[in-house]
């Protein structure tokens, strides 16, 4: 196999911009795949069990959600929302760490 490996691309924003960035054809493939998923599966189809905003099951996937009582459903939605918030804070921390480099204002050299 001749081509690029994951190790050949830099981390962070440098993977998108710069001399060693991911080729344009690769980015187009990623964006086209995500667009296809959005158009084909992740859409709000009325009358297919969409109980709340963001419920994109559309009759394709059901891991027993309809068997839960309302209190369990609310609990699971709250847990998922908090997990999403934690993930956003984690990625924000990684982005800030990348931009700061090896020197932190309070701690100093790492």
């Amino acid at each position: 196999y001749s081509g690029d490996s994951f190790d050949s691309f830099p981390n962070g924003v440098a993977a998108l911009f710069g001399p060693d960035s991911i080729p344009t054809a690769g980015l187009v493939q990623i964006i086209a795949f995500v667009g296809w998923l959005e158009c084909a599966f992740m859409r709000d189809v009325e009358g297919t069990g969409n109980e709340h905003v963001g419920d994109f099951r559309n009759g394709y996937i059901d891991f027993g959600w309809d068997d839960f009582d309302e209190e369990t459903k609310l609990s699971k939605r709250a847990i998922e929302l908090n997990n999403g918030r934690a993930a956003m804070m984690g990625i924000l921390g990684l982005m800030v760490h990348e931009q700061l480099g090896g020197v932190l204002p309070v701690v100093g050299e790492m």
Side-chain angles (χ1 to χ4, degrees):
Y1 174 74
S2 64
D4 297 318
S5 66
F6 286 110
D7 294 339
S8 65
F9 299 113
N11 295 329
V13 178
L16 300 176
F17 308 105
D20 296 330
S21 64
I22 299 173
T24 305
L27 290 175
V28 169
Q29 287 176 0
I30 292 170
I31 292 170
F33 179 68
V34 170
W36 175 75
L37 286 176
E38 287 285 333
C39 292
F41 298 104
M42 301 296 190
R43 48 194 175 106
D44 192 13
V45 179
E46 295 297 325
T48 56
N50 300 340
E51 297 180 24
H52 51 85
V53 175
D55 184 6
F56 295 130
R57 290 179 291 159
N58 295 334
Y60 290 113
I61 298 174
D62 187 14
F63 296 115
W65 180 260
D66 295 331
D67 298 333
F68 295 132
D69 60 351
E70 287 304 314
E71 183 179 342
T72 305
K73 287 180 182 181
L74 285 174
S75 171
K76 289 187 176 288
R77 279 189 214 130
I79 291 169
E80 184 65 23
L81 186 61
N82 285 334
N83 286 342
R85 290 175 178 154
M88 286 187 280
M89 292 304 293
I91 195 69
L92 180 63
L94 288 172
M95 290 188 298
V96 167
H97 183 266
E98 179 185 345
Q99 291 301 313
L100 288 177
V103 179
L104 297 177
V106 177
V107 179
E109 189 71 30
M110 289 180 45

